[in-house]
């Protein structure tokens, strides 16, 4: 640059230094993008695609869990218990079902779904949310779609449903209006849908080996 024109070279350098100083001084909270991130994603993409030839066998079995834990922050014991099972080196996906209409709840999905457990929980795992009219349908969607390629789950983990009869009584005591207004997710997982989900898992397990077992 100096060989061709020292004047323009000096101008260029001072302009560059000026802009650099300005940016450092302002400290804007902007992510400028990183080539390393691109590289990491490229490698991950290739690795998952390479699993196309991976074949399941007793010898290389790594139990992978789909954990229907709802909001993981509210079901910490279940989340932590499953976290202790990570030594099997399988994929662990924590699944959460949001009950409601897709259009209404879409913002919820955008706000919170980052596809990983929140960092402050200090547990590295996937986290998927699904919007469905009811818990059973949502759980079915998660069972079909959680995971990627061969990084799928083959064990379904559900919390043990407490107070079967009490919840039933509660529902019966309510008037129909109350029942429709009642939106406590714990209550929506009715006795029927819980049993139906378990039945489905067992049926899938017996029909197609290599799928969910409980
Ligand atoms: C993932 O791999 C496929 C097939 O090699 C390629 O077409 C695609 O661009 C890759 N995506 C990324 C994000 O690297
Ligand atoms: C999981 O991976 C680690 C690191 O490769 C290995 O030491 C360990 O034996 C693996 N565990 C199982 C159960 O395969
Ligand atoms: C379930 O039963 C226990 C003990 O009987 C009680 O403390 C708890 O509040 C009940 N939970 C619900 C959701 O009814
Ligand atoms: C729970 O649901 C199952 C399956 O629908 C039903 O057979 C059973 O009677 C129910 N139990 C109670 C306590 O409501």
């Amino acid at each position: 640059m100096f060989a061709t024109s020292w004047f323009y070279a000096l101008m260029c350098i001072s302009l560059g230094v000026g802009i650099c100083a300005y940016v450092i001084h302002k400290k804007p909270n902007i992510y400028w993008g990183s080539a390393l991130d691109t590289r990491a994603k490229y490698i991950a993409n290739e690795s998952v695609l390479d699993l196309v030839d991976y074949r399941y066998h007793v010898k290389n079995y790594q139990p992978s869990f789909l954990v229907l834990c709802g909001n993981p922050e509210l079901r910490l014991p279940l989340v932590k218990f499953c976290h202790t099972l990570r030594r099997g080196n399988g994929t662990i996906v924590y699944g959460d079902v949001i009950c409601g209409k897709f259009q209404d709840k879409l913002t919820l999905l955008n706000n919170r779904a980052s596809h990983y457990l929140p960092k402050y929980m200090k547990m590295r795992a996937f986290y998927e949310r699904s919007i469905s009219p009811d818990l059973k349908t949502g759980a079915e969607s998660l069972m079909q779609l959680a995971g990627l390629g061969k990084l799928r789950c083959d064990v379904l983990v559900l919390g043990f449903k407490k107070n079967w009869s009490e919840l039933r009584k509660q529902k019966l005591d309510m008037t129909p209006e109350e029942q429709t207004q009642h939106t406590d997710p714990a209550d929506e997982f009715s006795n029927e849908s819980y049993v139906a989900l378990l039945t489905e898992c067992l049926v899938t397990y017996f029909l197609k080996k290599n799928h969910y077992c409980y």
Side-chain angles (χ1 to χ4, degrees):
M1 254 179 2
F2 281 102
T4 49
S5 159
W6 62 267
F7 177 69
Y8 285 115
L10 269 186
M11 256 178 60
C12 268
I13 288 171
S14 50
L15 197 70
V17 168
I19 291 175
C20 183
Y22 175 75
V23 168
I24 289 172
H25 173 69
K26 278 290 238 186
K27 287 195 191 115
N29 188 17
I30 295 171
Y31 175 62
W32 302 103
S34 155
L36 287 178
D37 285 355
T38 317
R39 178 81 195 141
K41 196 170 173 188
Y42 172 81
I43 292 172
N45 180 29
E46 291 293 315
S47 308
V48 175
L49 285 171
D50 283 347
L51 287 179
V52 67
D53 293 327
Y54 178 91
R55 284 195 289 172
Y56 296 99
H57 190 272
V58 183
K59 276 192 286 186
N60 57 16
Y61 176 64
Q62 293 165 318
S64 300
F65 302 94
L66 171 63
V67 187
L68 295 181
C69 63
N71 185 345
E73 290 156 31
L74 300 182
R75 298 263 166 74
L76 260 185
L78 182 62
V79 174
K80 280 188 175 158
F81 169 68
C82 294
H83 188 65
T84 60
L85 304 175
R86 72 191 182 283
R87 298 285 181 213
N89 294 346
T91 318
I92 301 185
V93 180
Y94 292 97
D96 183 9
V97 178
I98 306 170
C99 296
K101 270 193 170 170
F102 190 70
Q103 285 87 349
D104 300 345
K105 305 279 176 171
L106 207 56
T107 46
L108 251 176
L109 202 65
N110 289 343
N111 285 349
R112 299 205 34 209
S114 55
H115 306 295
Y116 297 93
L117 277 188
K119 261 198 171 160
Y120 73 85
M121 292 178 85
K122 297 206 172 82
M123 287 181 253
R124 277 152 46 102
F126 299 111
Y127 172 46
E128 292 292 352
R129 306 187 107 191
S130 134
I131 302 174
S132 302
D134 60 88
L135 262 163
K136 183 169 154 271
T137 324
E140 282 166 5
S141 319
L142 283 172
M143 277 161 62
Q144 289 174 72
L145 293 175
L148 184 68
K150 293 259 165 96
L151 294 184
R152 293 209 176 247
C153 313
D154 45 19
V155 181
L156 183 73
V157 182
L158 283 168
F160 186 76
K161 193 167 163 54
K162 281 193 207 149
N163 302 6
W164 296 68
S165 47
E166 281 171 38
L167 279 177
R168 178 94 180 161
K169 263 188 224 138
Q170 230 177 44
K171 283 250 168 194
L172 284 180
D173 288 342
M174 282 188 232
T175 62
E177 288 85 28
E178 272 175 347
Q179 279 192 16
T180 49
Q181 280 165 10
H182 204 74
T183 50
D184 181 11
D187 240 17
E188 279 171 43
F189 209 0
S190 64
N191 175 14
E192 283 77 9
S193 52
Y194 189 83
V195 173
L197 192 63
L198 286 185
T199 319
E200 266 164 26
C201 294
L202 287 176
V203 169
T204 354
Y205 176 66
F206 284 119
L207 286 184
K208 299 181 180 179
K209 288 276 153 91
N210 226 334
H211 272 72
Y212 288 97
C213 54
Y214 174 68

